[in-house]
Amino acid sequence: MRDELLTIGRFARLCRLSVKQLRHDDEVGLLGPVRVDAGTGYRYYPPEQARDALTVALLRDMDLPLAVIARAGAR
């Protein structure tokens, strides 16, 4: 699986999200990368995480508060 990790830019394009949105989702604990390079700070995501990213985006489009989305994901 490590060979299949995508940079944040490629992952954002795959999910049709912005890099800014993905960074924010990580900051608030909704969806974080599986790896962050200690030297460069580059973030890497597995393709399998796209479903979670798209679900978060859909719920945000439905105007659900981020706290509600985070609680739903913690279950």
Side-chain angles (χ1 to χ4, degrees):
M1 182 169 102
R2 289 273 182 215
D3 296 336
E4 298 178 25
L5 294 181
L6 304 171
T7 63
I8 192 170
R10 288 191 64 203
F11 187 74
R13 285 189 299 278
L14 173 70
C15 299
R16 296 185 179 153
L17 301 170
S18 70
V19 169
K20 181 178 178 179
Q21 184 175 357
L22 287 171
R23 288 183 185 275
H24 180 71
D25 288 349
D26 181 25
E27 289 171 9
V28 299
L30 282 177
L31 182 73
V34 295
R35 185 166 85 80
V36 178
D37 185 279
T40 63
Y42 286 179
R43 299 161 191 241
Y44 296 92
Y45 295 82
E48 298 82 18
Q49 208 170 7
R51 181 177 18 190
D52 294 337
L54 294 170
T55 300
V56 168
L58 177 64
L59 294 172
R60 289 172 96 178
D61 285 346
M62 295 171 59
D63 294 325
L64 271 138
L66 294 179
V68 172
I69 297 170
R71 278 196 310 270
R75 295 182 178 175

